[in-house]
Amino acid sequence: MRAFTQHRGLVAPMDRSNVDTDMIIPKQFLKSIKRTGFGPNLFDELRYLDEGKPDQDCSQRPVNPDFVLNQDRYKNASVLLARSNFGCGSSREHAPWALDDYGFRVIIAPSFADIFYNNCFKNGLLPIVLDVKVVDQLFREAEVEEGYQLAVDLEAKTVTTPSGESFGFDVDDFRRHCLLNGLDDIGVTLEDADLIKSYEDSRRKTAPWLFGAGH
Amino acid sequence: MAGKTLYDKLWNDHLVKQRDDGSALIYIDRQLLHEVTSPQAFEGLRIAGRKPWRLDANLATPDHNVPTTDRARGIDGIVDPVSRIQVETLDRNCDEFGILEFKILDQRQGIVHVIGPEQGATLPGMSIVCGDSHTSTHGAFGCLAHGIGTSEVEHVLATQCLVQQKMKNMLVKVSGKLGAGVTGKDVVLAIIGKIGTAGGTGYAIEFGGEAIQGLSMEGRMTICNMSIEAGARVGMVAVDDTTIAYVRDRPFSPTGEAWDAAVDYWRTLHSDDDAAFDKVVELNGADIQPQVSWGTSPEMVAGIDGHVPDPAKETDPIKREGIVRALKYMGLAPNQAITDIKLDRVFIGSCTNSRIEDLREAAAVVKGRKVSPSLKQAMVVPGSGLVKAQAEQEGLDRIFIEAGLEWRDPGCSMCLAMNADKLGQGEHCASTSNRNFEGRQGFGGRTHLVSPAMAAAAAVSGHFVDVRELTH
């Protein structure tokens, strides 16, 4: 996995709560058997005026000029500023794959849905929870100031504004460690293979119906 | 010291290692696989040169992309070539790695969350995962069951474990008795309406109380299925006689001495009387009316006697904006009566409501009636080949067909419209599925979540009606 240590990037403010993963990447694009190529269809139904189809040339499609990512000032944004409960709904990992493929590295919101939050860390994408008042402030600043950037430091667990104001954030130690070092967490788990085997052996004795014939 | 919750017990029983950093390795007894969220996981195994840790813990079936007509044609019946490749890829991966799969022509094929319990592949006390958020369904059996992403599907295939942080405990207690015509679907929609679509985030929810204990396993599965729509990855119900009776004599269930030992263990799967919950939510079952969702989030629900809200009366600006946006998308007016919402299509199916009891409830309403001529389509999609066979044995298929509903083959179908079944732009659908998100059932489609009985009542009326007026 790609490591994440620090990032500074342009902020795109998406002023909408309860953004679900169907909205992030609609179902017709889940038919792909690859992990890449979802970027052109990120937020497809909000971004374009027509119905998107897999494998189509999106540069020819009519775009919704009101959608935040279609505005010139937010072109090449890599930090998505969002509202509460971002990523709710389906467990599809295609949602973080699409955000990553588009070019986002950081998502900031007052809260995230659990499965989406977890899926981000598996893909080198950093979801950051900040207090709702801080998020409100960042929204105001990003909308007023063109070219507004935020600097994120995962080691120090801080988000810093252009004026130098810094906000701390929490992230659990294991996820932070894996992301900072770009670790393959299957490899980390397999270091405990003996422990898993001995657990399995004892479970085979206490709950034999979970093993063997018919299973 | 306080007693343990059901979740605490399940967590402790599956704990392989507690790490100092707060994360834990949890053992997974069962992984269910389908074609949409597994191909990249198998590819990951292949690239890393890894093998599945324990083959017999896995069970696969294609469900999201399968057509619901002309099943005899098998994979050749999948018109969309991209969908076909995904189903073929699942077959190839399962064959290559040696994983048991109910393929498209197998009568045991169906929606993963229907076939697990149906086969006894879901047993009380198991930890169960699947790359699908509605895996919470299996919590109805006193299981620790939740949806995961594709990277975690690969992780479980390779290690039989998941890295987890323990969640907080929530009890949702539904006291009293449910009124006639009020189902598990109405209960869970009322719960989501009360606690909100993020109300359960970070929690494992246990559903308890007299109203829950009085439900069949089908009703409990419907409730646990939609835990995720309240933000909770895990929803559970304690094991009781209803659970054990359902599990008995299923193909994968234990027999003989193993059955007796299993039952002894399963009887311990309930929260202790003195268990402490981080949060408790209480509802009175007798107050719950048949529910209809009017908006674009499952928390946007009202009773059948209610009205679409007026955003002018909402004081929270973010919520007000959400209501305005939802009404615009749904093409509804503030204060409109729920019974005035006219429908274009009716969908009875999905992992929420496609089991035999759901179909019986719907059939009881449409029996001797006709689908309203104002509807473009009303369809019934059973959850599995075995549910379909059972329904046909009971004559439910004839009741549906005589009433003018289409009787289809099993799959996820119009719940998320990955196959050919979908809504047209602007169409209103009474749907027994779980999500009313924008575009979920088709580009520009408008979903109203209801119970099977309410969907059936809407089908014969052309608009929403209180099912109790038709049946009592």
Side-chain angles (χ1 to χ4, degrees):
Chain A
M1 185 182 72
R2 185 185 62 204
F4 185 109
T5 49
Q6 294 177 330
H7 179 75
R8 175 190 293 275
L10 181 69
V11 176
M14 187 171 179
D15 194 3
R16 180 173 184 144
S17 55
N18 296 321
V19 170
D20 58 73
T21 54
D22 275 82
M23 208 180 282
I24 297 173
I25 184 83
K27 72 277 202 165
Q28 63 268 40
F29 306 108
L30 311 189
K31 298 178 183 184
S32 166
I33 57 171
K34 297 183 292 190
R35 278 176 184 260
T36 54
F38 298 101
N41 300 108
L42 174 71
F43 299 122
D44 198 273
E45 292 184 7
L46 301 174
R47 213 164 135 192
Y48 305 99
L49 296 170
D50 63 346
E51 181 178 1
K53 297 184 176 61
D55 298 325
Q56 130 198 66
D57 178 5
C58 291
S59 67
Q60 305 301 314
R61 297 174 60 192
V63 299
N64 173 6
D66 296 334
F67 184 58
V68 57
L69 298 184
N70 289 332
Q71 296 167 24
D72 277 348
R73 61 182 287 195
Y74 300 121
K75 207 173 170 184
N76 299 320
S78 60
V79 177
L80 184 65
L81 189 58
R83 295 293 187 186
S84 61
N85 199 28
F86 188 85
C88 60
S90 154
S91 64
R92 58 188 71 169
E93 200 162 317
H94 312 68
W97 293 339
L99 287 159
D100 176 73
D101 200 57
Y102 180 88
F104 284 113
R105 303 295 311 280
V106 175
I107 307 159
I108 298 173
S111 60
F112 291 91
D114 286 340
I115 301 176
F116 173 83
Y117 181 80
N118 189 44
N119 282 342
C120 285
F121 285 95
K122 312 285 183 189
N123 294 283
L125 200 61
L126 179 62
I128 296 175
V129 177
L130 291 177
D131 185 81
V132 66
K133 289 198 182 73
V134 174
V135 172
D136 282 344
Q137 178 189 332
L138 298 181
F139 261 93
R140 281 195 302 274
E141 293 179 2
E143 279 158 12
V144 170
E145 188 183 327
E146 200 150 332
Y148 184 83
Q149 295 198 345
L150 286 171
V152 174
D153 187 332
L154 180 57
E155 181 74 53
K157 298 192 275 190
T158 57
V159 174
T160 307
T161 69
S163 66
E165 194 176 359
S166 217
F167 303 100
F169 63 88
D170 281 333
V171 51
D172 77 72
D173 291 343
F174 178 75
R175 286 178 172 131
R176 177 160 159 269
H177 174 71
C178 286
L179 204 48
L180 281 172
N181 298 290
L183 295 180
D184 161 18
D185 63 353
I186 295 179
V188 177
T189 298
L190 287 174
E191 287 172 15
D192 286 316
D194 289 344
L195 215 51
I196 302 171
K197 284 201 186 85
S198 70
Y199 170 90
E200 212 165 42
D201 288 344
S202 83
R203 191 149 178 81
R204 215 180 282 272
K205 292 192 186 84
T206 56
W209 60 87
L210 296 175
F211 297 83
H215 279 255
Chain B
M1 196 181 125
K4 292 187 174 62
T5 65
L6 171 58
Y7 174 62
D8 294 338
K9 292 180 184 181
L10 293 169
W11 175 270
N12 291 345
D13 284 351
H14 291 91
L15 186 63
V16 173
K17 182 184 186 179
Q18 179 67 55
R19 292 175 175 148
D20 296 337
D21 59 17
S23 68
L25 273 187
I26 292 294
Y27 188 81
I28 302 302
D29 296 314
R30 170 76 65 209
Q31 171 151 252
L32 300 165
L33 298 154
H34 63 82
E35 78 276 20
V36 181
T37 56
S38 68
Q40 297 88 348
F42 283 112
E43 187 62 15
L45 282 188
R46 220 175 266 122
I47 289 167
R50 291 176 175 134
K51 293 262 179 269
W53 179 278
R54 207 189 115 201
L55 289 172
D56 66 1
N58 297 284
L59 176 61
T61 199
D63 55 6
H64 287 61
N65 281 279
V66 299
T68 57
T69 50
D70 271 340
R71 180 55 53 87
R73 293 184 63 205
I75 284 182
D76 290 340
I78 308 178
V79 177
D80 179 350
V82 196
S83 284
R84 192 163 60 234
I85 288 170
Q86 206 163 47
V87 174
E88 286 168 346
T89 303
L90 179 68
D91 288 358
R92 201 169 56 244
N93 283 327
C94 290
D95 290 347
E96 177 187 331
F97 287 101
I99 286 170
L100 177 63
E101 182 196 3
F102 299 157
K103 293 194 165 83
I104 191 166
L105 285 172
D106 192 316
Q107 197 187 24
R108 298 169 296 176
Q109 178 272 343
I111 306 173
V112 279
H113 309 309
V114 175
I115 69 166
E118 184 172 82
Q119 291 295 319
T122 296
L123 292 172
M126 275 184 163
S127 55
I128 302 182
V129 294
C130 174
D132 191 291
S133 59
H134 293 112
T135 309
S136 55
T137 308
H138 309 268
F141 292 83
C143 293
L144 175 57
H146 58 77
I148 56 176
T150 297
S151 293
E152 290 181 316
V153 171
E154 182 183 343
H155 191 282
V156 173
L157 280 169
T159 70
Q160 213 53 50
C161 289
L162 258 190
V163 180
Q164 290 286 293
Q165 277 80 22
K166 197 174 176 198
M167 291 172 255
K168 288 181 284 185
N169 279 290
M170 184 191 293
L171 174 65
V172 174
K173 191 174 172 189
V174 188
S175 56
K177 285 192 166 56
L178 300 178
V182 178
T183 67
K185 183 62 162 285
D186 303 302
V187 172
V188 72
L189 286 173
I191 291 168
I192 298 164
K194 183 179 171 84
I195 70 174
T197 184
T201 303
Y203 289 93
I205 298 181
E206 180 177 345
F207 299 96
E210 188 187 353
I212 303 290
Q213 287 159 1
L215 286 171
S216 65
M217 288 315 295
E218 282 89 345
R220 296 176 190 185
M221 281 190 259
T222 300
I223 290 179
C224 291
N225 172 279
M226 288 191 71
S227 307
I228 188 65
E229 309 326 327
R233 289 188 300 154
V234 167
M236 294 163 296
V237 175
V239 174
D240 62 10
D241 291 343
T242 306
T243 325
I244 291 168
Y246 185 98
V247 170
R248 187 187 290 274
D249 296 332
R250 303 263 163 192
F252 285 52
S253 295
T255 52
E257 282 177 28
W259 169 263
D260 296 336
V263 170
D264 285 346
Y265 168 62
W266 295 342
R267 294 272 183 206
T268 68
L269 297 174
H270 54 80
S271 291
D272 296 333
D273 291 341
D274 57 344
F277 289 86
D278 300 289
K279 190 171 178 182
V280 178
V281 175
E282 296 193 50
L283 282 82
N284 183 353
D287 294 342
I288 299 173
Q289 304 295 311
Q291 302 282 303
V292 178
S293 78
W294 51 265
T296 54
S297 164
E299 69 184 18
M300 294 174 165
V301 289
I304 182 63
D305 54 352
H307 294 78
V308 172
D310 185 346
K313 291 180 188 151
E314 175 59 57
T315 50
D316 179 335
I318 292 181
K319 275 193 183 160
R320 186 166 57 234
E321 178 56 28
I323 295 172
V324 169
R325 204 186 324 243
L327 293 188
K328 185 170 177 226
Y329 181 84
M330 295 297 290
L332 297 174
N335 303 312
Q336 186 176 345
I338 295 293
T339 48
D340 284 346
I341 300 173
K342 293 188 174 55
L343 298 157
D344 300 289
R345 293 181 201 265
V346 170
F347 170 63
I348 298 172
S350 87
C351 59
T352 312
N353 282 125
S354 64
R355 298 178 181 84
I356 190 67
E357 183 182 284
D358 301 315
L359 304 190
R360 286 178 191 143
E361 286 173 1
V365 175
V366 302
K367 188 172 186 179
R369 296 189 167 96
K370 292 285 180 197
V371 168
S372 167
S374 62
L375 251 62
K376 293 174 185 163
Q377 181 182 44
M379 62 157 99
V380 185
V381 183
S384 72
L386 291 170
V387 168
K388 186 175 188 194
Q390 171 77 26
E392 289 177 353
Q393 202 186 338
E394 296 179 17
L396 304 183
D397 58 326
R398 289 192 300 280
I399 294 173
F400 287 126
I401 292 166
E402 279 164 21
L405 290 99
E406 297 172 25
W407 178 243
R408 298 290 192 100
D409 294 312
C412 300
S413 182
M414 206 197 272
C415 172
L416 86 168
M418 273 190 82
N419 71 349
D421 309 334
K422 56 187 73 168
L423 297 183
Q425 198 157 1
E427 289 179 348
H428 288 267
C429 180
S431 177
T432 66
S433 57
N434 40 59
R435 289 189 175 131
N436 50 353
F437 299 155
E438 290 183 18
R440 169 82 178 181
Q441 293 192 289
F443 184 71
R446 294 160 169 169
T447 303
H448 299 278
L449 305 173
V450 286
S451 72
M454 283 287 286
V460 296
S461 309
H463 57 91
F464 287 116
V465 291
D466 190 333
V467 64
R468 295 170 296 191
E469 292 170 12
L470 299 185
T471 50
H472 298 284

